[in-house]
Amino acid sequence: MPPAACLVLLLAGCGGNQNTLTPASSPARAITQLWWVMFVGAVIGFGSIVLLLFLGWSRRKRPGLPGGGSERRETGLVVLLGVVVPVIVLVALFVYADVFVMRSTAAPKPSSTAMTIHVIGHQWFWEVRYPGTRAVTANEIHIPVGVPVDLVGTTADVIHSFWVPELNRKVDLIPGRANRILLESDRAGRFRGQCSEFCGLQHAHMAVAVVAEPRAQFRAWLRNMARPAAPPRTAAARRGEQVFLAQTCSACHEIRGTAARGTIGPDLTHVASRQTLAALTIPNDRAALREWIADPQHVKPGVKMPAVPLGPGQLTPLVDYLESLR
């Protein structure tokens, strides 16, 4: 492999956007410790092989081990470095991973968590529901700091895989099944996740954000998410609502409190409260929202959202309306 390509691969792992080695929960810390333990085991195994190669090379130039030694001693050294050490290292790694890591990252029992969240994978966004409330959002999961959450993952189409490296291992979302994972954070912050199972053209742009916030702040957010959309207050926003309901937008998206009941695309009841659009692909600001509505295929080629032919007299008020949905 050319040196330039190796450099690109090394640099691709830099940055703190999705970093397994900066854990923010107990399961993630167990995975991080396993990484370091396996790294040490790999160094020991690699060192043994390098030492054997060095001894073989030195023996070609001069019979016997450096410093002298019998043939029996040479055979014993080969068995030790080539068989005994690898077996001990591999068995130790297996036991450590099974006893100390796998059990700590196992799917939680529903009775052991304080709350449950349902995450449904779609091509290519994440639908998030909070059972017991009417709260529905997309691509941004809010959780209270220090509270264990039972995340139940399903899929509406193909296989997806939910993974937030700083919080826990990944969990596959398989048609016809509901898989669980513990989602918990011991500090406030925003943690980026990703679909880690190839699911189609826009797989690489199917990201998710987990926002861990203080409990009071989370409860306020959840109350707001459970409310229906507030009626538009300005004439432009009211015109935008009419455009939304008259066009095919309402056939794909739901805005609770209106006649829009679509289930194909994300729920837009509080879309303006999100920081990003298109599964973290673009920022949620006026310019990006306008471009996203006008030509979604340019922003995210292959996305299921079609381009809706809107004139300037329709697009501007539609953006006004969507920006009012907080």
Side-chain angles (χ1 to χ4, degrees):
M1 182 180 291
C6 294
L7 181 61
V8 170
L9 289 176
L10 288 173
L11 293 177
C14 296
N17 216 8
Q18 291 179 195
N19 192 348
T20 308
L21 301 183
T22 57
S25 69
S26 297
R29 275 191 291 275
I31 293 171
T32 300
Q33 291 170 3
L34 175 62
W35 188 93
W36 285 110
V37 169
M38 293 186 70
F39 176 75
V40 172
V43 170
I44 294 173
F46 180 74
S48 299
I49 298 301
V50 169
L51 181 56
L52 282 174
L53 290 174
F54 172 75
L55 293 177
W57 172 78
S58 63
R59 199 176 188 282
R60 288 180 60 188
K61 290 192 171 184
R62 183 178 179 181
L65 294 173
S70 64
E71 184 176 345
R72 183 176 180 181
R73 182 183 172 190
E74 294 176 1
T75 303
L77 187 60
V78 170
V79 172
L80 175 65
L81 296 178
V83 179
V84 176
V85 171
V87 168
I88 291 175
V89 169
L90 291 175
V91 171
L93 288 175
F94 175 82
V95 172
Y96 180 83
D98 181 64
V99 175
F100 296 99
V101 179
M102 295 297 292
R103 297 181 185 181
S104 65
T105 61
K109 297 180 179 179
S111 59
S112 66
T113 54
M115 64 180 297
T116 300
I117 295 176
H118 287 175
V119 174
I120 303 98
H122 297 259
Q123 289 177 310
W124 288 274
F125 71 95
W126 306 93
E127 178 185 349
V128 187
R129 295 182 175 269
Y130 291 77
T133 76
R134 297 193 65 190
V136 183
T137 186
N139 305 317
E140 291 186 10
I141 302 172
H142 287 240
I143 61 173
V145 173
V147 175
V149 176
D150 180 16
L151 186 148
V152 182
T154 58
T155 176
D157 37 56
V158 300
I159 297 176
H160 300 281
S161 191
F162 180 90
W163 187 35
V164 183
E166 292 169 292
L167 299 182
N168 208 333
R169 61 177 174 83
K170 70 177 184 177
V171 60
D172 289 339
L173 278 53
I174 301 172
R177 290 183 58 87
N179 290 334
R180 299 174 180 269
I181 194 172
L182 178 66
L183 198 64
E184 183 181 10
S185 177
D186 53 22
R187 68 173 186 265
R190 184 180 176 90
F191 307 100
R192 190 181 190 278
Q194 182 72 38
C195 178
S196 53
E197 179 75 26
F198 181 73
C199 55
L201 182 61
Q202 281 297 324
H203 161 72
H205 290 155
M206 187 174 169
V208 63
V210 176
V211 181
E213 52 198 358
R215 300 185 187 187
Q217 187 175 338
F218 168 76
R219 287 193 294 267
W221 175 88
L222 189 62
R223 284 195 300 269
N224 183 60
M225 288 299 108
R227 297 188 184 107
R233 296 181 179 180
T234 66
R238 285 192 290 271
R239 169 62 179 153
E241 182 184 36
Q242 294 172 359
V243 172
F244 185 92
L245 296 175
Q247 295 291 336
T248 56
C249 310
S250 60
C252 293
H253 299 279
E254 179 176 11
I255 297 180
R256 286 174 282 118
T258 74
R261 292 288 186 270
T263 59
I264 298 174
D267 184 292
L268 301 180
T269 304
H270 299 285
V271 63
S273 67
R274 301 169 195 162
Q275 294 187 17
T276 64
L277 297 169
L280 279 64
T281 305
I282 55 177
N284 189 2
D285 56 36
R286 188 175 183 85
L289 177 59
R290 188 182 183 91
E291 182 182 11
W292 176 236
I293 296 172
D295 192 359
Q297 297 300 323
H298 174 73
V299 177
K300 202 170 180 178
V303 70
K304 300 298 180 70
M305 179 174 168
V308 180
L310 298 172
Q314 293 177 309
L315 181 57
T316 298
L318 178 58
V319 172
D320 291 334
Y321 173 58
L322 294 176
E323 284 200 312
S324 72
L325 299 177
R326 296 191 175 278

